[in-house]
């Protein structure tokens, strides 16, 4: 591994590194960085301190057309999908290695783009992206087709074929990881990709594109169109020559992807959308402190900007106060600080206006009768206006807006219940179904509750443990289709039957 032995150790060192960074900020089309056809750019403001860190190309329909044409040409001439499996595998492994050897640069770009703690970008985001590409590289020479049973004079092959041009529209909360979740399976399946990163997080995507090219991915196979949802994302979703949209983002925009598919060419759509994931904590929870720790990390990690953040705690009233006390104690250890300070465990939200939105929910909760147990304020000693304290809203009642709506920030809603039979009903009383947890020492109950809860992942006596080998995604309005695991490859491929008759 080429990973640097040590990273800068202090905030000052990171600020110096950030000061000399000149990130690529143009579109990546057909193997080259190019300006938007219109020449337009937008200012990328870093939530770390409110400063402009780049003028980024503002892609629009004409750029999407160029990128889709390049992707189509690459797909049709087979420069990628027809490579020998072992060649594809080697390219993807080199791509993963390059991500690892650029951990420092990718991590810094990720933090500057979205405000997450630098230590997380280095320890989690960049390495997990590399691991994901490496995981899917291994499938390049292991995907096999099928032969159906026939009579002796026939041969019926069931071949798995790539879809063609995949449009990947991704959010800003885990830009590197979610992009890798799309690229790994889409590329190993042989597709070409046009990636539209969120306008808040364009920079790590552009570096990824360069690293993919350096690894030997042929021109046109991966293209990146930076820009806004309405001007760059919508034309991609509506494009008649895109075979699939793989989307991660809000439920609201996810629904627009379905509309765009219907209004254009009936392209495939895979959706990973929002969540309001519950912890169900029963009175017989074996280790309340372990539960409190997992609950605190499950909502405050990444400032709560996690689709599967455990943002609701549905807890037996008899143990509620003890649990809230312990959650508060654990929250106090998750230090909120400057994003470039390596000791910070929580840092900035993605934008100051997102912080405003999150704080407005604290006010809404108060007005609805919730009690602010901890936090609830902006951290004004930090620059840029995007830092918000870890917040726990106690005594939340079913039906309150803070209990129903995805806040996407460090705000936990605690909902006490009196009757255990109600707990599952409350857990399922949501439009979402991304994740959940059950806390109980009774394995029979754990088993019953985990099957009764409608969610793509249910953890028992833990939270947020996962690996690339397990599928991730939602039920209900959290979307459909799965990222991660071998199953993710299926959604980027389709079956073709080739029936041969021997006269
Ligand atoms: P968002 O829906 O606002 O944006 C997601 C992407 O869609 C961005 O690239 C954006 O530019 C693009 N977009 C916006 N409007 C568009 C339009 N009209 N047409 C085409 N594209 C458009 O979401 P966000 O604010 O970037 O991310 C936060 C949301 O993502 C949360 O709801 C979160 O739960 C969800 N999320 C889900 C998962 C998951 O795996 N289920 C993972 C991460 C985030």
């Amino acid at each position: 591994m080429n990973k640097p032995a040590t990273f800068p150790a202090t905030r000052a060192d990171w600020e110096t590194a950030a000061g000399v960074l000149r990130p690529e900020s143009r579109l990546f089309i057909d193997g080259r960085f190019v300006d938007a056809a219109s020449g337009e750019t937008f200012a990328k403001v870093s939530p770390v301190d409110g400063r402009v860190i780049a003028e980024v190309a503002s892609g629009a329909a004409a750029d999407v057309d160029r990128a889709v044409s390049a992707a189509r040409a690459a797909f049709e001439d087979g420069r990628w999908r027809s490579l020998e499996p072992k060649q594809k595998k080697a390219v993807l492994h080199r791509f993963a290695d390059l991500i690892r050897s650029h951990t420092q640069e990718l991590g810094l770009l990720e933090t500057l783009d979205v405000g997450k703690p630098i230590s997380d970008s280095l320890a989690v985001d960049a390495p997990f992206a590399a691991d994901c590409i490496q995981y899917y590289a291994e499938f390049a020479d292991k995907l096999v087709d099928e032969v159906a049973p026939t009579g002796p004079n026939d041969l019926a092959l069931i071949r798995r074929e790539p879809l063609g041009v995949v449009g990947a529209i991704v959010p800003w909360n885990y830009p590197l990881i979610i992009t890798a979740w799309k690229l790994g399976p889409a590329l190993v399946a042989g597709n070409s990709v046009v990636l539209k990163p969120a306008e808040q997080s364009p920079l790590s995507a552009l570096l990824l594109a360069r690293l993919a090219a350096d690894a030997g991915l042929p021109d046109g196979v991966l293209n990146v169109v930076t820009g806004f949802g309405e001007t760059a994302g919508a034309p991609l979703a509506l494009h008649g020559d895109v075979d699939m949209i793989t989307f991660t983002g809000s439920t609201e925009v996810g629904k627009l992807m379905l509309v765009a598919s219907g209004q254009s060419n009936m392209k495939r759509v895979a959706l990973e959308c929002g969540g309001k994931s519950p912890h169900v904590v029963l009175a017989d929870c074996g280790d309340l402190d372990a539960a409190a720790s997992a609950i605190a990390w499950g909502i405050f990690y990444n400032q709560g900007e996690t689709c599967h953040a455990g943002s609701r705690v549905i807890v037996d009233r008899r143990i509620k106060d003890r649990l809230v006390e312990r959650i508060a104690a654990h929250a106090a250890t998750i230090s909120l600080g400057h994003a470039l300070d390596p000791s910070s465990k929580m840092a900035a939200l993605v934008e100051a206006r997102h912080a405003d939105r999150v704080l407005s929910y604290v006010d809404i909760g108060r007005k609805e009768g919730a009690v602010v147990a901890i936090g609830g304020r902006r951290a004004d000693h930090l620059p840029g206006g995007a830092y918000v304290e870890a917040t726990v809203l106690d005594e939340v009642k079913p039906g309150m807006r803070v209990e129903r709506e995805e806040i996407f920030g460090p705000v936990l809603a605690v909902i006490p219940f009196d009757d255990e039979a109600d707990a599952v009903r409350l857990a399922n009383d949501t439009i979402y179904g991304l994740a959940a947890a059950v806390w109980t020492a009774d394995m029979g109950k754990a088993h019953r509750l985990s099957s009764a809860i409608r969610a793509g992942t249910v953890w028992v006596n833990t939270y947020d443990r996962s690996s690339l080998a397990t599928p991730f995604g939602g039920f209900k309005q959290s979307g459909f289709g799965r990222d991660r695991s071998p199953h993710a490859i299926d959604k980027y491929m389709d079956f073709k039957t080739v029936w041969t008759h021997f006269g």
Side-chain angles (χ1 to χ4, degrees), residues 76 91 138 277 394 462 497:
E76 294 302 334
V91 169
E138 281 301 322
S277 299
D394 196 359
T462 187
T497 300

Side-chain angles (χ1 to χ4, degrees), residues 266-284:
M266 214 195 275
K267 56 177 67 68
R268 313 291 167 88
V269 177
L271 300 174
E272 298 279 8
C273 299
K276 190 79 181 173
S277 299
H279 289 268
V280 176
V281 189
L282 303 186
D284 67 0

Side-chain angles (χ1 to χ4, degrees), residues 170 172-173 196 199 233-234 248-250 272-274 307 406 408 472:
V170 296
W172 46 260
N173 59 337
K196 209 302 275 173
E199 49 273 36
T248 297
S250 60
E272 298 279 8
C273 299
C307 48
E406 186 183 40
F408 221 55
F472 178 78

Side-chain angles (χ1 to χ4, degrees), residues 358-373:
V358 168
L359 289 168
S360 78
Y361 271 103
V362 178
D363 286 340
I364 290 168
R366 257 197 209 102
K367 284 184 193 131
E368 287 177 319
V371 175
V372 180

Side-chain angles (χ1 to χ4, degrees), residues 363-484:
D363 286 340
I364 290 168
R366 257 197 209 102
K367 284 184 193 131
E368 287 177 319
V371 175
V372 180
I374 60 166
R377 289 168 308 187
R378 198 186 306 266
D380 283 326
H381 63 289
L382 293 162
Y387 294 78
V388 171
E389 294 173 345
T391 301
V392 175
L393 300 179
D394 196 359
E395 291 298 338
V396 171
K397 306 247 171 343
M400 287 184 180
R401 284 185 62 193
V402 289
E403 188 262 344
R404 305 207 76 77
E405 297 175 19
E406 186 183 40
I407 299 175
F408 221 55
V411 181
L412 179 69
V414 178
I415 305 124
F417 68 81
D418 296 299
D419 176 359
E420 202 171 293
D422 259 3
V424 169
R425 192 188 53 75
L426 290 173
N428 281 335
D429 185 18
T430 166
I431 61 165
Y432 300 113
L434 194 51
V438 177
W439 295 89
T440 172
D442 179 336
M443 279 303 114
K445 274 187 197 164
H447 201 64
R448 277 194 301 279
L449 265 62
S450 57
S451 26
I453 294 175
R454 298 271 299 152
T457 301
V458 182
W459 286 285
V460 176
N461 295 336
T462 187
Y463 205 74
D464 203 13
R465 288 178 76 79
S466 67
S467 87
L468 283 162
T470 53
F472 178 78
F475 286 14
K476 302 198 283 187
Q477 293 187 42
S478 290
F480 51 84
R482 293 292 181 262
D483 285 327
R484 300 196 319 225

Side-chain angles (χ1 to χ4, degrees), residues 29-30 65-75 79 219-221 223:
I29 296 177
D30 209 10
D65 276 345
R66 277 196 292 170
V68 172
S69 301
R72 174 60 60 195
F75 183 74
R79 69 187 82 159
D219 293 350
V221 177
N223 308 273

